[in-house]
Amino acid sequence: MLNLSQNGCSVWVASSSEGLLTPTAVALGKFDGVHLGHQRVIQPVLHAGGQFSVASSPQLTTNNGQLTNQEYTYSTVVTFDPHPQEFFTGQPRTLLTPLDEKVQQLRSLGVEQLVLLPFDKELSALTPEEFVEKILVQQLRCQRISIGQDFCFGEKRSGTAKDLQLIAAKHNIPVTIVPLQTYTGDSPTQSSCVSTTPTQDARISTSLIRQNLEHGDIENANLLLGRPYTLFGIVVQGQQLGRTIGFPTANLQLPKEKFLPRQGVYAVRVFTLSETSDVAPSEILGVMNIGNRPTVNGTYSSAEVHLFDWSGDLYGKKLAVELVKFLRPEQKFASLEALKTQIQLDCIVAKEVLRAGAKS
Ligand SMILES: Cc1cc2nc3c(=O)[nH]c(=O)nc-3n(C[C@H](O)[C@H](O)[C@H](O)COP(=O)(O)O)c2cc1C
Ligand SMILES: Nc1ncnc2c1ncn2[C@@H]1O[C@H](COP(=O)(O)OP(=O)(O)O)[C@@H](O)[C@H]1O
């Protein structure tokens, strides 16, 4: 079990029955991206703002000033590790939110515990009834459950959301089934299949966000996520060429499973993160290139950012780079001089985009 903690707040990350915080109010799902639809599913198990209301501090409940022995229930997200698709295909899967990022997002929503159920032969062979009894009732001492309408569980995904509701009712556990969310512009709604583009189902989903990112449609991806798609990484050394053309770039080492958007150049907002300081990081604007750098015969994919009007040493620092807009695909230039001229233009366009974004 891990306790990932930052700025004094923490989320328990448990992967076995040992050390679980129980009893629990459980949101069940894969939750890759923790997008607007996921947030709706998680809401009913949160202490603040959800339908679920219990004591606001562990162990003790005050009721009209008197202490009662009502047990504190932990708002918990239960997910699977590895991603079931990775287990069945044997292929590593890239993620919108690798574990650290998912924990950070869940914490910011008010989730207290993340349980990673090891998705293996044994778990995948449980019948829906066994899953409820062994995992939810016995291990998690679950008091309430929230799931999305399309949730499937148990052997061969044979259990539906309705099945979970029926089985859980036998154990007196209420189940909230959250309708699938679609995006219509202002806020997510529950109407079915309203398309923002003629060819796409606008239901908020991890795969729709991945498609948008693959096409460089960052604005749509960000709307569906409810926040900017962000690359978190440590700054490592590159070929030290950037400084020679007047555009030093901080090269990010990203989690290997992080899903990367379309290769090319982006307008971005950058934050330097510190593990120790409680001071909110300040924003620096910049341009990012994601790609193989064909002009310098690059052999591997890199993500590198040039910060506007900034100088200093970033090696070893952790950066959060929020993608704002895709500007152009990566190209092979005839010379470094030609690349430099293009990067100057990229900076002008990025500054305009970011300035316009700041005004709206
Ligand atoms: C805004 C921007 C746009 C870029 N566009 C391209 C490009 O189109 N083609 C390319 O080969 N490299 C591109 N690069 C990557 C440069 O080749 C790279 O920054 C340079 O080689 C310095 O690399 P270094 O950090 O390893 O020193 C771009 C970099 C930036 C910051
Ligand atoms: N405005 C800036 N944007 C990005 N990095 C900068 C900037 N000014 C200084 N640096 C520093 O320069 C380094 C990048 O210089 P560069 O010549 O591209 O070397 P490298 O190939 O190692 O990335 C960054 O890692 C950072 O420490």
Side-chain angles (χ1 to χ4, degrees):
M1 179 155 125
L2 302 159
N3 180 13
L4 298 188
S5 139
Q6 211 178 28
N7 297 336
C9 310
S10 61
V11 174
W12 285 106
V13 182
S15 58
S16 71
S17 54
E18 207 182 304
L20 282 178
L21 304 171
T22 65
T24 54
V26 165
L28 258 174
K30 296 187 282 282
F31 299 116
D32 181 31
V34 197
H35 56 58
L36 288 175
H38 294 148
Q39 292 170 28
R40 287 285 178 104
V41 175
I42 292 168
Q43 201 193 11
V45 305
L46 298 176
H47 290 277
Q51 303 153 20
F52 169 54
S53 80
V54 294
S56 57
S57 67
Q59 313 312 338
L60 295 178
T61 303
T62 57
N63 185 359
N64 295 333
Q66 298 198 325
L67 293 179
T68 72
N69 345 328
Q70 187 186 334
E71 251 187 310
Y72 183 85
T73 306
Y74 291 91
S75 58
T76 299
V77 163
V78 174
T79 190
F80 305 96
D81 183 46
H83 192 288
Q85 197 178 329
E86 187 169 320
F87 173 78
F88 287 119
T89 61
Q91 298 297 318
R93 186 181 158 87
T94 54
L95 299 170
L96 298 179
T97 46
L99 182 60
D100 276 9
E101 217 183 313
K102 188 184 256 183
V103 169
Q104 198 186 1
Q105 285 305 320
L106 295 177
R107 185 181 52 225
S108 71
L109 294 176
V111 171
E112 294 165 308
Q113 175 173 231
L114 172 64
V115 175
L116 304 173
L117 295 177
F119 198 87
D120 53 16
K121 237 176 159 177
E122 207 183 319
L123 189 87
S124 65
L126 293 179
T127 64
E129 287 78 8
E130 286 168 340
F131 181 82
V132 173
E133 276 158 34
K134 291 192 176 162
I135 308 287
L136 298 177
V137 176
Q138 289 170 22
Q139 288 194 10
L140 290 156
R141 293 178 60 219
C142 187
Q143 308 291 300
R144 106 171 353 258
I145 299 170
S146 179
I147 44 171
Q149 202 182 328
D150 59 348
F151 180 74
C152 293
F153 71 113
E155 195 189 10
K156 298 193 181 112
R157 293 167 58 81
S158 57
T160 63
K162 280 267 172 242
D163 294 334
L164 180 59
Q165 208 166 38
L166 289 174
I167 302 167
K170 293 183 195 154
H171 300 271
N172 292 322
I173 306 172
V175 176
T176 307
I177 300 178
V178 177
L180 300 178
Q181 310 288 306
T182 55
Y183 192 84
T184 57
D186 305 328
S187 59
T189 69
Q190 291 168 11
S191 58
S192 60
C193 294
V194 178
S195 283
T196 48
T197 59
T199 52
Q200 281 174 349
D201 173 5
R203 182 170 75 73
I204 301 171
S205 68
T206 302
S207 49
L208 181 57
I209 296 169
R210 289 169 74 103
Q211 270 174 38
N212 279 316
L213 292 170
E214 262 166 16
H215 295 133
D217 194 344
I218 302 303
E219 294 93 326
N220 258 344
N222 291 351
L223 286 175
L224 300 175
L225 278 168
R227 62 177 189 281
Y229 192 63
T230 305
L231 307 181
F232 293 89
I234 307 280
V235 178
V236 293
Q237 285 212 348
Q239 291 174 281
Q240 321 258 302
L241 278 172
R243 64 194 70 181
T244 66
I245 55 170
F247 289 103
T249 53
N251 295 33
L252 291 188
Q253 187 174 57
L254 302 170
K256 64 177 185 327
E257 67 274 33
K258 178 75 178 178
F259 178 86
L260 286 181
R262 180 175 177 186
Q263 292 202 337
V265 179
Y266 291 84
V268 297
R269 299 179 193 282
V270 184
F271 300 85
T272 48
L273 304 178
S274 153
E275 298 290 331
T276 50
S277 165
D278 278 346
V279 180
S282 55
E283 172 188 279
I284 312 166
L285 305 181
V287 266
M288 168 163 254
N289 185 61
I290 300 175
N292 294 316
R293 295 151 296 125
T295 310
V296 296
N297 300 319
T299 51
Y300 57 91
S301 183
S302 75
E304 46 181 321
V305 60
H306 170 72
L307 310 178
F308 297 145
D309 311 315
W310 191 92
S311 65
D313 183 0
L314 288 169
Y315 291 126
K317 296 252 161 61
K318 187 169 183 188
L319 300 186
V321 180
E322 296 182 355
L323 303 184
V324 176
K325 191 174 168 59
F326 177 82
L327 301 182
R328 67 168 175 90
E330 201 184 33
Q331 282 167 252
K332 183 172 170 71
F333 290 93
S335 65
L336 270 180
E337 208 40 48
L339 172 64
K340 180 180 172 177
T341 305
Q342 179 58 50
I343 295 179
Q344 281 165 343
L345 291 174
D346 294 334
C347 291
I348 293 169
V349 178
K351 281 178 184 173
E352 268 169 25
V353 165
L354 294 165
R355 210 177 298 130
K359 274 189 207 143
S360 61

